[in-house]
Amino acid sequence: MFSVLCIGINAIVGSGIYRLPGRIAHDLGPASWLAFLVVGLLLVTVALCFAEAGGMFDANGGPYVYAREAFGKPVAFGVGWMAYVTMVFSWAAVANAVIGYLEAVVPLNDSPLVTRAVVAALILGPGALNYFGVRPGAYATNFFTVAKLLPLSIFVLVGIWFVDWHHVTAMPDTGGRGFAPVGAALFAALFAVQGFEVAPIPAGEAANPKKAVPIAVIGALVGCSVFYVLIQLVAFGTKPTIGMPPEGSDALWSARPIAEAAETFMGSAGGLLMAAGACISMMGFCVGSALATPRFLSVFAEDNIFPHWFAKPHPRYGSPDRAIVTTTALTLVASQVLDFDKLVDLANVAVTLHYVGTCAAVAWLRVKRPELARTYRVPLGPYLIPALGLGVCVLFFSQASITEFLFSGLAVVAGTIIAVGTWLVRRGVANRAV
């Protein structure tokens, strides 16, 4: 159970909390801490659906499995594929985000070749680690989960005594933009808070998954949301300029808000500690992503949607090595082509799409499969919480741009082409055999 909980926490605490406080402060100023609270509360409805669904099944695949049992393989593939795309974009985004903090720890020259090489290492390294089986990746995930929480805990426990509460209780100035900054801030906070849905994906390889998954999903979301509120309070309360670009920079907001805030009450050593913590956190996220993401491809292959080539385990390590290699390669390409902010927005659209599938599946399975044993049931009846979860998804969709929807559509098309091609090949083989 601890490993599953760590996978969920590790998937949430990545680059978002180290990079996004500046972006959110840019939009909401003193009220920026509320963004994490509101998003956490909104996503509880979705997490409750994941908890019930996770308590019904003990197979790898998470949202793909839930949609498959409720609506069949075609719909499930769409849901599972978008979950897979989300994790690829998120992994690529975090690998890009580490550069800003790494420069504060290890002096790097300004060569794009060096920065691209570091980003590539954060993808190829964890991919290689998980090639050798789930156990090394799980152990590494547990280590990074504990290691990444320590600097942030110090940041909160020390920094809370230095907060100027006038900074976080003043009325925000939205610059005459009305409620538009609120939606933008919530959309940005979504990237930092998402990740709880990753916990059920490798469920088939966990002990007692029907009990572990609901606890991991709810525990990861609630715990991290509260933690994020405290971090944002300390960050803005000690350095309210994190929503502004550093002097001489063409950025819109600080790229190292946590480290800059820590410097105000712990000096340069505190800033260095937070920068090192950010690097550890992002490395941990990359390790966790390398563990969970490829399992989607192997599940697709086991269900005859993708070629069986992806499902065949390594003869020695038992890992889905071909799925790992393919996923690592796709993530590497995304990390080299797109920047952090674009990857964040694309990941948000993709993750919301597969949230829709799980919320709908929970309601439908109450009707279609009432006999299924459930270790947890959403409160207030079978429909209210899933309906609220779907409403939350619509709210986040409203903040996405046409470009982001087009990118998501292209991702769906790419996956569909592979699935249809696989079906045509198998049908041709079957006809020749007859």
Side-chain angles (χ1 to χ4, degrees):
M1 182 184 299
F2 180 70
S3 291
V4 179
L5 177 62
C6 283
I7 289 172
I9 294 175
N10 185 58
I12 297 176
V13 185
S15 66
I17 193 56
Y18 282 100
R19 280 291 300 265
L20 292 174
R23 175 173 168 178
I24 296 171
H26 176 78
D27 287 320
L28 291 185
S32 56
W33 60 274
L34 284 171
F36 293 114
L37 178 63
V38 171
V39 170
L41 291 173
L42 290 174
L43 288 180
V44 163
T45 58
V46 179
L48 290 173
C49 292
F50 272 88
E52 175 166 330
M56 287 188 282
F57 307 104
D58 56 6
N60 284 347
Y64 168 75
V65 173
Y66 315 150
R68 181 187 65 194
E69 297 300 319
F71 308 115
K73 286 185 181 179
V75 173
F77 171 70
V79 172
W81 181 249
M82 292 316 296
Y84 176 75
V85 169
T86 298
M87 296 172 70
V88 167
F89 283 148
S90 297
W91 185 4
V94 172
N96 269 280
V98 77
I99 297 299
Y101 278 98
L102 187 61
E103 288 175 341
V105 179
V106 181
L108 300 174
N109 61 41
D110 295 330
S111 169
L113 183 61
V114 173
T115 58
R116 293 297 93 194
V118 172
V119 171
L122 286 173
I123 295 169
L124 296 175
L129 177 66
N130 284 280
Y131 184 90
F132 296 103
V134 68
R135 191 176 299 274
Y139 285 158
T141 298
N142 294 351
F143 166 78
F144 277 113
T145 300
V146 175
K148 73 169 60 177
L149 294 179
L150 183 59
L152 289 171
S153 298
I154 294 173
F155 179 79
V156 170
L157 292 174
V158 176
I160 199 72
W161 300 99
F162 294 88
V163 171
D164 184 339
W165 296 100
H166 290 94
H167 290 332
V168 295
T169 56
M171 290 296 294
D173 180 9
T174 61
R177 293 181 293 165
F179 288 100
V182 176
L186 295 182
F187 193 62
L190 172 62
F191 181 78
V193 178
Q194 67 173 265
F196 59 87
E197 71 281 354
V198 172
I201 292 171
E205 299 167 70
N208 196 11
K210 290 186 177 181
K211 181 180 179 181
V213 168
I215 294 175
V217 169
I218 300 298
L221 174 62
V222 173
C224 290
S225 295
V226 173
F227 195 37
Y228 282 5
V229 168
L230 294 173
I231 291 170
Q232 187 72 21
L233 279 170
V234 172
F236 194 88
T238 57
K239 190 175 179 63
T241 57
I242 59 172
M244 304 177 186
E247 187 176 350
S249 171
D250 57 357
L252 296 177
W253 42 75
S254 171
R256 293 186 298 198
I258 302 300
E260 291 176 7
E263 288 176 354
T264 65
F265 57 87
M266 290 194 291
S268 58
L272 182 61
L273 174 64
M274 290 305 113
C279 294
I280 292 172
S281 177
M282 295 177 199
M283 291 175 188
F285 182 93
C286 291
V287 170
S289 296
L291 171 66
T293 311
R295 268 65 188 179
F296 274 109
L297 294 186
S298 59
V299 171
F300 294 156
E302 290 165 2
D303 272 2
N304 297 316
I305 296 176
F306 274 15
H308 284 302
W309 185 84
F310 287 110
K312 188 175 180 180
H314 190 281
R316 179 179 178 183
Y317 304 116
S319 64
D321 57 320
R322 294 167 180 176
I324 290 172
V325 170
T326 301
T327 299
T328 302
L330 290 174
T331 307
L332 180 62
V333 171
S335 72
Q336 302 296 311
V337 172
L338 300 169
D339 64 21
F340 173 77
D341 288 309
K342 179 54 66 178
L343 287 164
V344 164
D345 294 339
L346 289 173
N348 281 347
V349 173
V351 78
T352 307
L353 284 169
H354 83 74
Y355 284 170
V356 168
T358 297
C359 292
V362 166
W364 184 241
L365 285 170
R366 286 286 191 97
V367 177
K368 183 181 178 182
R369 302 286 300 278
E371 79 285 355
L372 282 174
R374 292 165 170 83
T375 57
Y376 172 81
R377 289 175 179 265
V378 295
L380 305 177
Y383 307 116
L384 178 59
I385 295 298
L388 290 174
L390 291 173
V392 168
C393 294
V394 172
L395 174 64
F396 286 126
F397 278 142
S398 68
Q399 299 302 313
S401 68
I402 296 297
T403 301
E404 288 147 13
F405 277 115
L406 287 176
F407 263 95
S408 299
L410 289 174
V412 171
V413 170
T416 302
I417 289 173
I418 299 172
V420 171
T422 301
W423 178 77
L424 290 174
V425 169
R426 286 183 177 153
R427 183 179 182 184
V429 171
N431 289 339
R432 286 196 298 272
V434 173

